[in-house]
């Protein structure tokens, strides 16, 4: 058997990647739409993959309100008003960090090898992940707020403030997606991605003002919570939903963090993706 008959697929795999600049904005948007549809169809074919987005907000709400609520705030009703806004940021962060595991699995299963043979912009593959994850985040936030209101949480402002809170949580979560995707491409296995993601998630979540007031923490930990963007996101969400406390300062901090994380890690993730494909 000749060498030519053995390597037709390999010849396609070594084809030089299509440059995004050659495709143009319209073509890139069309590819993003098609790949987003593919990602959503995968969810339809595997609905169990939505368990984290659907069940996690309910489980965290029940666990912390009814197990820790009395100890944290003296009564559960008070703690609901404190906890639920902070859970929006925590939920967005958890969903965002899970993207890297899926991306790593795509590389391991050969899906990315197929994309490499197609005339599509490399950035469109990553952007479609962002769009699909945004839709998952919207569903998760809707479930969280809806379930919280069913158990007694009160939105003391208006619909515009609710939309602003969701938008802020989404913006920060999608900036973290770039870090997650970079980890998914830099590490060798999905298990390694999950392990590193947990090392990032745990300190950020519990070293923040999401679950407890920072003035109850030791001084060294307060120093960390003051620079933790999740604390700013939780404080901004409480101000927007409860109508108390300053809004502009924590919102500005979240916007700055989101822009900075995206500006640093988006180019790194795209460059890493082009190198791997």
């Amino acid at each position: 058997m000749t060498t030519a008959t053995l390597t037709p697929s390999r010849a396609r795999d070594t084809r030089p990647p299509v440059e995004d600049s050659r495709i143009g904005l319209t073509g890139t948007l069309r590819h993003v739409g098609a790949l987003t549809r593919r990602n959503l169809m995968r969810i339809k074919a595997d609905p169990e993959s939505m368990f984290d987005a659907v069940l996690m907000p309910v489980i965290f709400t029940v666990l912390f309100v009814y197990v820790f609520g009395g100890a944290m705030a003296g009564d559960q009703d008070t703690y609901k008003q404190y906890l639920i806004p902070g859970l929006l940021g925590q939920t967005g962060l958890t969903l965002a960090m899970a993207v890297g595991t899926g991306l790593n699995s795509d590389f391991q299963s050969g899906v990315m090898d197929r994309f490499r043979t197609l005339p599509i912009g490399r950035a469109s593959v990553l952007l479609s992940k962002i769009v699909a994850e945004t839709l998952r985040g919207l569903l998760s936030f809707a479930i969280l707020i809806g379930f919280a209101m069913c158990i007694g949480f009160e939105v003391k402002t208006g619909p515009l403030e609710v939309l602003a809170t969701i938008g802020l949580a989404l913006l920060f979560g999608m900036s973290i997606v770039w870090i997650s995707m970079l980890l998914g491409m830099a590490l060798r296995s999905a298990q390694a991605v999950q392990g590193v993601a947990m090392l990032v998630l745990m300190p950020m979540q519990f070293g923040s003002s999401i679950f407890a007031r920072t003035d109850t923490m030791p001084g060294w930990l307060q120093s960390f919570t003051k620079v933790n963007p999740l604390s700013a996101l939780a404080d901004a969400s409480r101000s927007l939903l409860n109508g108390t406390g300053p809004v502009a300062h924590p919102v500005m901090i979240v916007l700055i963090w989101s822009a900075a994380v995206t500006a640093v890690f988006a180019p790194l993730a795209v460059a890493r993706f082009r190198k791997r494909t």
Side-chain angles (χ1 to χ4, degrees), residues 141 165-176 254-255 258-259 262:
F141 293 156
T165 303
I166 293 175
L168 198 65
L170 273 178
L171 180 65
F172 180 73
M174 293 312 102
S175 70
I176 300 298
V254 175
L255 293 177
S258 300
T262 302

Side-chain angles (χ1 to χ4, degrees), residues 79-152:
Y79 192 58
K80 289 173 190 174
Q81 296 300 131
Y82 182 88
L83 174 70
I84 301 303
L87 280 183
L88 288 169
Q90 186 263 354
T91 300
L93 179 66
T94 303
L95 291 176
M97 292 304 294
V99 177
T101 303
L103 185 61
N104 185 278
S105 298
D106 285 343
F107 275 102
Q108 300 300 329
S109 63
V111 172
M112 293 302 171
D113 291 334
R114 292 184 59 191
F115 287 158
R116 192 177 190 278
T117 67
L118 300 175
I120 60 175
R122 294 300 176 255
S124 61
V125 178
L126 301 185
L127 290 175
S128 67
K129 294 280 188 183
I130 296 283
V131 176
E133 196 59 32
T134 298
L135 297 176
R136 273 174 33 97
L138 284 172
L139 174 63
S140 189
F141 293 156
I143 292 173
L144 173 59
I145 294 176
F147 178 75
M149 295 180 70
C150 289
I151 63 173

